[in-house]
Amino acid sequence: MRRMKQELALLLVFTLLLGTFGFSASAADKKESSVSSGTTYVLLYLNKAEAFLNGEQVTLDAPATIIKDKMFVPAKFLGDAFGMKVEWNEQTRMIEMETPNAQILLDSDNKSVWINGYWMRFEDAAAIVNGRLMVKLTWLADYMGARYTYNDELKRVEVLYVKTPQGIYIPDTGNSKPVAKFSFGKSVYKIGEPIKYVDLSYDPDAEGIAKFDWKGRQEAIFTPGTYPVTLTVEDIHGNRSEPYTRYLVIGKETYLNEVEYPIYRSPVGSFIKTNWSVLWSNFHELPELPKQVTEDKSRKLLVSDSPETFEQQGILYQDTIEGKGRLYADHINGTNEKVTMAILAKNMTDKPVTVRTTNKGEVWPSVYANLIGNEATVDFLLGDPLNEKLTIPPNQTFVYKQMPDFYPGQGVNLFYDVETDGLVQFSFIASSQISQNSLTLPLLPFNGHVRGSFPVSEVQWNIDATTFTSPSRLIVGDGKIDPFQPGYDTIRMQQVNNDGNYGVVYKIHADKPRKMAVMILPKGGVFKGPFKINGEIRLVPESGVITAFDGMQILAKTTGTEEALDIEFSPPAGSAFPIDLIFYPLDERETK
């Protein structure tokens, strides 16, 4: 016992001396010794599994032993400690070793060893003990470049290995290689915890680092284990550093799972790309967020959306408005000739009538027919101040709006809020020539798209976004939970539904919302459209379109301190429904 205490005291003193002279004595550096300079100190005891590596006690599978009066030491343990390769090659059935001085192949089946291409007998260099490769102690000096001493009294081998750092100066150019180096923000990370990388690289010539080449770097990792991360840097002259590797440890405790992570960590406007399986299992059957619905019937909505693609000239839709109204049209020129799209306003009274336009969203003829609904809705939701006036004499017809030339295959989308002080008939017309006589054109037949007059042009949903604790949703445009507005087609003279609720503005309001993320999940097909969140327009998506199989986009995030959350939305022409608005509660992990 007294002897063991003496040995431990000597070991402590030696470790302190190593630290004093700048040598590494941390067991955590074992795996990094292949890429960083330093000193490795090992104590091996004859026929004992206990050993010490840089001051830390370890247990060996194969301890040092005497074979035919020669001492053999564990190759794999020392190779790992010194950062040298010692691996079994299943195809060649050989053990491969790489040291600073030699390429070594050990063939135990044929009792042969090749060192830098030269053959020697296996038993003169190595032995297999209990399935473990052992090498002669003399190899430590000859091939591994380590120094050793044997203490016969203590039956102990003391091994000291100093890795020689590679030079970074380049004499031919008078320049130096940069040095790659980094650390992690902490030694162990949780599953799904954001990983902090601290760059410590430098250029000895003070020219700065021009390029970083990472391998294995990830924002977060969702499987426990140990992962190598390697950095190589380059200066402005193209000189590359030696690769620098550290090992990232991911524990078994979970911080965020793979589904939660992008919701917590992605900023507003981000698109969360995923797959159908994840969407279906996590978001498609969420509980509905309760809402109180109020319908605004103060503004009559006229929808001219049929035929969406017209194939002949004529009157697309026609009805009257007295007071507040909304005019909505979405059409594609399906004829073989250039036409003009216009809205005519006829004063149905014997007194002058003024038509005021208070809001509008319009897209003139465009070949991008499937995108124009998004652009017109953006303008309409912006709600820029507008006060256009048109006074119509008694029983006269004026052109309220007229588009530029409308070529085959082009589309238009029109969106106007009007107020009249008398009864006015509005007619949506496609014709090569627009005049008062255009009212004599034929009423075009219905071919399956939405058209009609609807008393409801705005719905208001009040929701409780304060107390819910699990992900929930609002369903928009499914025709069931969110019913399509009923109306009347004056041309066909029959009851109709506004399938898709086109031209209807949704206003969703929540007082004092909790900390949460609000996302949109398309479920009916291709979608492209804007939302207005607390007065700010958010495009979905910012470019292109999204579908039910792509993923979700983050519309908003609340902090839990806002007085209210207000969402305005109108179904854009050309987009498919339904869509889900997902309300996902967040906790303090969102800001860490």
Side-chain angles (χ1 to χ4, degrees):
M1 178 62 72
R2 182 176 180 181
R3 176 176 294 177
M4 181 60 71
K5 289 182 178 179
Q6 291 175 341
E7 292 178 18
L8 292 175
L10 288 171
L11 178 60
L12 177 60
V13 171
F14 194 85
T15 302
L16 291 173
L17 288 172
L18 292 177
T20 302
F21 289 97
F23 299 135
S24 170
S26 170
D29 290 336
K30 179 180 71 173
K31 290 188 176 180
E32 296 179 27
S33 60
S34 62
V35 293
S36 58
S37 61
T39 298
T40 303
Y41 179 58
V42 179
L43 295 181
L44 301 171
Y45 293 87
L46 189 62
N47 298 322
K48 289 185 178 181
E50 291 76 18
F52 289 90
L53 173 61
N54 290 333
E56 298 287 338
Q57 183 171 337
V58 295
T59 302
L60 305 178
D61 291 336
T65 188
I66 299 292
I67 302 176
K68 295 182 180 180
D69 297 326
K70 303 293 183 183
M71 179 168 289
F72 286 74
V73 292
K76 177 64 175 172
F77 168 72
L78 292 174
D80 288 347
F82 301 160
M84 300 176 189
K85 175 183 176 181
V86 181
E87 293 181 358
W88 167 255
N89 188 318
E90 181 63 34
Q91 292 183 337
T92 62
R93 292 192 55 76
M94 293 185 186
I95 299 169
E96 299 176 355
M97 294 180 61
E98 293 182 6
T99 76
N101 303 320
Q103 296 284 332
I104 304 170
L105 298 176
L106 298 104
D107 185 353
S108 60
D109 293 342
N110 297 303
K111 306 300 181 183
S112 299
V113 176
W114 283 268
I115 304 173
N116 292 335
Y118 292 94
W119 177 87
M120 67 183 300
R121 293 187 307 172
F122 188 86
E123 57 268 24
D124 290 342
I128 302 296
V129 179
N130 296 325
R132 297 290 186 267
L133 175 66
M134 310 291 287
V135 296
K136 276 187 178 180
L137 182 59
T138 54
W139 271 33
L140 291 172
D142 295 341
Y143 299 114
M144 287 188 169
R147 290 179 291 146
Y148 68 90
T149 57
Y150 177 64
N151 188 317
D152 185 57
E153 180 183 1
L154 300 177
K155 305 298 182 185
R156 184 179 71 191
V157 179
E158 300 176 6
V159 183
L160 189 67
Y161 175 73
V162 180
K163 179 178 175 61
T164 303
Q166 295 187 359
I168 60 176
Y169 183 68
I170 309 172
D172 294 341
T173 63
N175 203 265
S176 299
K177 294 181 181 180
V179 177
K181 189 173 292 186
F182 68 94
S183 66
F184 303 116
K186 55 197 299 188
S187 58
V188 179
Y189 281 86
K190 300 175 183 178
I191 294 170
E193 183 177 7
I195 300 166
K196 181 180 180 181
Y197 299 85
V198 182
D199 175 42
L200 303 171
S201 306
Y202 65 94
D203 182 9
D205 304 301
E207 295 168 328
I209 305 298
K211 183 179 179 181
F212 293 80
D213 182 11
W214 293 89
K215 289 182 173 59
R217 174 170 174 160
Q218 299 183 59
E219 186 177 333
I221 297 177
F222 300 95
T223 303
T226 301
Y227 298 85
V229 181
T230 300
L231 173 62
T232 306
V233 297
E234 191 174 297
D235 66 15
I236 60 174
H237 301 290
N239 299 319
R240 289 178 64 83
S241 70
E242 295 300 322
Y244 181 87
T245 301
R246 296 186 77 95
Y247 287 81
L248 178 63
V249 179
I250 306 297
K252 295 182 178 180
E253 187 178 350
T254 298
Y255 183 77
L256 291 169
N257 62 40
E258 284 188 89
V259 174
E260 296 172 322
Y261 188 87
I263 300 174
Y264 270 82
R265 300 296 301 176
S266 302
V268 170
S270 299
F271 181 73
I272 300 175
K273 186 172 180 59
T274 182
N275 57 58
W276 177 253
S277 176
V278 171
L279 292 174
W280 178 260
S281 57
N282 292 278
F283 299 103
H284 265 250
E285 299 300 326
L286 293 176
E288 297 170 34
L289 201 62
K291 61 181 184 289
Q292 294 179 342
V293 179
T294 303
E295 295 180 340
D296 185 350
K297 297 183 179 181
S298 65
R299 186 182 297 276
K300 185 178 181 180
L301 170 64
L302 273 57
V303 177
S304 174
D305 193 25
S306 178
E308 184 177 47
T309 302
F310 58 84
E311 297 178 351
Q312 56 184 306
Q313 299 180 30
I315 298 174
L316 300 162
Y317 189 63
Q318 185 179 77
D319 197 7
T320 60
I321 290 176
E322 185 172 12
K324 291 183 179 181
R326 178 170 297 157
L327 310 177
Y328 182 89
D330 178 42
H331 291 289
I332 297 174
N333 183 359
T335 71
N336 295 321
E337 56 188 322
K338 177 183 69 177
V339 299
T340 297
M341 175 78 185
I343 301 176
L344 299 188
K346 180 180 179 180
N347 184 349
M348 305 296 288
T349 74
D350 56 3
K351 296 180 181 179
V353 173
T354 298
V355 179
R356 295 178 60 246
T357 304
T358 58
N359 193 14
K360 72 176 180 180
E362 58 187 11
V363 175
W364 289 0
S366 168
V367 295
Y368 300 104
N370 62 328
L371 302 179
I372 57 177
N374 171 74
E375 303 303 328
T377 308
V378 167
D379 288 346
F380 193 83
L381 291 180
L382 279 173
D384 291 334
L386 187 66
N387 189 18
E388 297 178 353
K389 292 183 179 181
L390 174 66
T391 300
I392 309 171
N395 301 306
Q396 294 295 306
T397 301
F398 279 10
V399 176
Y400 170 69
K401 295 290 180 181
Q402 183 171 350
M403 297 292 104
D405 291 339
F406 194 8
Y407 288 88
Q410 291 185 330
V412 296
N413 190 218
L414 311 175
F415 216 164
Y416 303 105
D417 273 355
V418 298
E419 296 180 9
T420 75
D421 57 7
L423 187 64
V424 177
Q425 180 190 69
F426 289 93
S427 301
F428 300 81
I429 294 175
S431 176
S432 57
Q433 297 291 330
I434 298 295
S435 68
Q436 290 189 359
N437 293 331
S438 298
L439 292 179
T440 63
L441 289 170
L443 300 174
L444 295 183
F446 176 76
N447 74 345
H449 293 284
V450 176
R451 78 178 180 195
S453 301
F454 304 92
V456 174
S457 60
E458 180 178 301
V459 292
Q460 300 169 1
W461 293 355
N462 285 330
I463 60 173
D464 179 1
T466 303
T467 60
F468 76 104
T469 57
S470 60
S472 303
R473 61 176 173 158
L474 290 176
I475 301 172
V476 181
D478 69 335
K480 299 175 182 177
I481 295 172
D482 175 26
F484 297 139
Q485 293 298 324
Y488 185 76
D489 184 341
T490 59
I491 295 179
R492 285 187 294 162
M493 294 184 291
Q494 68 179 52
Q495 301 294 325
V496 295
N497 284 327
N498 184 358
D499 294 338
N501 284 342
Y502 293 104
V504 175
V505 173
Y506 289 75
K507 292 188 176 181
I508 303 169
H509 175 82
D511 286 323
K512 298 187 180 302
R514 63 158 294 155
K515 187 181 182 70
M516 64 180 176
V518 182
M519 299 173 289
I520 174 176
L521 173 62
K523 297 180 71 174
V526 173
F527 183 89
K528 182 178 183 64
F531 287 77
K532 190 174 183 180
I533 312 291
N534 282 359
E536 181 180 343
I537 297 292
R538 307 277 166 78
L539 300 179
V540 179
E542 293 188 354
S543 63
V545 298
I546 57 176
T547 73
F549 299 95
D550 295 330
M552 306 175 294
Q553 181 167 323
I554 299 178
L555 290 176
K557 283 188 173 181
T558 56
T559 63
T561 61
E562 294 86 355
E563 287 297 317
L565 173 66
D566 286 290
I567 303 173
E568 289 187 51
F569 168 74
S570 186
S575 289
F577 290 86
I579 61 172
D580 281 355
L581 295 181
I582 296 173
F583 296 78
Y584 200 99
L586 302 176
D587 55 36
E588 70 281 355
R589 292 175 293 176
E590 197 270 339
T591 55
K592 284 188 177 181

